[in-house]
């Protein structure tokens, strides 16, 4: 499973109930400037503090609401 997730052409993150990254894998991480696993232990809300739209979606998801959103990669 690890090999599959690591080679996905996207970034896959999981967060705990406090918004702390517990998994960060996928090939897109390199384009975002991160190594696999580098974000583990960091707050997703802090990582995106300058992007209020993304923080809004993260907060909704943490509140238990179903969220699906795409973060543009530029």
């Amino acid at each position: 499973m690890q090999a599959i997730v690591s080679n996905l052409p996207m970034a896959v993150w999981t967060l705990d109930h406090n918004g702390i990254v517990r998994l960060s894998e996928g090939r897109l991480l390199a384009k975002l400037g991160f190594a696999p696993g580098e974000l583990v232990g960091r707050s997703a809300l802090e990582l995106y503090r300058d992007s209020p739209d993304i923080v809004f979606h993260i907060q909704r998801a943490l509140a238990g609401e179903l969220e699906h959103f795409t973060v543009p990669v530029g």
Side-chain angles (χ1 to χ4, degrees), residues 43-62:
S43 167
L45 296 171
E46 282 296 314
L47 290 168
Y48 285 104
R49 69 178 170 265
D50 296 331
S51 301
D53 290 343
I54 296 171
V55 168
F56 171 78
H57 288 291
I58 293 170
Q59 289 172 325
R60 285 179 47 117
L62 292 174

Side-chain angles (χ1 to χ4, degrees), residues 6-7 13 21 28 42-43 45 47 49-51 54 56 64-66 69 74:
S6 295
N7 286 299
W13 293 11
V21 177
L28 182 60
R42 296 179 62 186
S43 167
L45 296 171
L47 290 168
R49 69 178 170 265
D50 296 331
S51 301
I54 296 171
F56 171 78
E65 298 184 37
L66 181 60
F69 61 96

